[in-house]
Amino acid sequence: MSRNPTPRSVRLRRSVLSVPAINLRALEKTHAVDCDAVIFDLEDSVAPEKKAEARENLWNFFSARPLQGKERIIRINDLSTNFGLADMELVIALNPDAVLLPKVDEPQDVMALGDLLSEADAPDDLRIWAMIETPRGILNAAVIAEAGRTPGSRLDCLVVGLNDLRKETGVLPQPGRNYLVPWLMQVVLAVSAYGLDAIDSVFNDFRDEQGFDAECLQGRAMGFAGKMLIHPAQIEPANRHFGPDPAAIAEAEAIISAFADPASDGLNVINAGGRMVERLHLVQAESLVHKAHLIAARQAAARKTM
């Protein structure tokens, strides 16, 4: 029996733009930007006295002109607060692609949210994303990700939040994130074990292009699917760094072609271009090529609307 994790459906998550739901201008701009996903934030970026207004903004935004071609995620407040419960009423009414739960410490947090969605008869394809932004969340990353493998689980993605994590641990914000790398890799290892995605944390200075490029390169090398963004200027470099490059696509297509050869029937290891390739590499190649096709299709659709 295979011990490999069962992956979720392949989604583009190179660039995940966080937009304060209180900001009407930023909400409207999401229609035009080229990010893969949008997090509509009702939590950290919205002051307590503005929470109700932010929910009304989101209701009007979703009702007036549905966002097309991008994954739509609503970031709610803590479910132990009245804000969080009111946010969930809005989530059920709007039916986004996912709900992002903040400060997830343990798998029970994800399960409780899943129970709320099930009790409200939310569609099965309304997924859960979990913010991993506390010491307990990092320590429990594996068991949180494992919750995504339980029957009926909606968990799809873990998002690292380093601002809160730095605040709680005292780790300073330094270039290279040297003291944070072990914790980041712990999250990547957890999602890899259970077939989920991991999104790297925000880079706070959107004017520092070189610093952002370096952090994207680091995040991609570590295995993150994409990066959470705070400004539209970060979208293009995130798409470029976390997207498949032409050489990788060509190699993936060669692997797919090699396994499609009738001579490869029943073989788990074949010779492709002078190197030994396992069937697990075929799964990776198919995922990469599928992402490349999704990118090309969205670019073609964008050209038609220009």
Side-chain angles (χ1 to χ4, degrees), residues 19-130:
V19 176
I22 197 63
N23 189 329
L24 290 173
R25 186 163 172 264
L27 288 175
E28 190 57 31
K29 281 188 172 182
T30 60
H31 290 291
V33 295
D34 190 31
C35 59
D36 292 331
V38 176
I39 294 173
F40 300 99
D41 186 26
L42 294 168
E43 195 217 8
D44 279 350
S45 65
V46 181
E49 66 274 12
K50 294 287 187 178
K51 301 287 188 184
E53 182 181 343
R55 286 192 295 271
E56 183 177 358
N57 287 348
L58 265 195
W59 171 264
N60 293 333
F61 177 81
F62 272 68
S63 302
R65 185 183 171 195
L67 190 64
Q68 301 291 330
K70 303 174 181 71
E71 204 168 358
R72 304 159 304 152
I73 305 98
I74 296 179
R75 183 183 183 182
I76 63 171
N77 288 273
D78 193 308
L79 287 174
S80 66
T81 68
N82 289 332
F83 294 137
L85 297 176
D87 294 344
M88 281 305 299
E89 292 180 7
L90 182 68
V91 167
I92 298 302
L94 297 182
N95 189 31
D97 296 298
V99 54
L100 176 56
L101 185 63
K103 297 177 177 60
V104 173
D105 284 335
E106 54 192 8
Q108 286 77 8
D109 298 334
V110 174
M111 294 173 183
L113 176 55
D115 289 342
L116 281 179
L117 292 171
S118 297
E119 290 166 7
D121 291 326
D124 290 341
D125 59 359
L126 202 170
R127 313 305 299 175
I128 293 174
W129 289 23

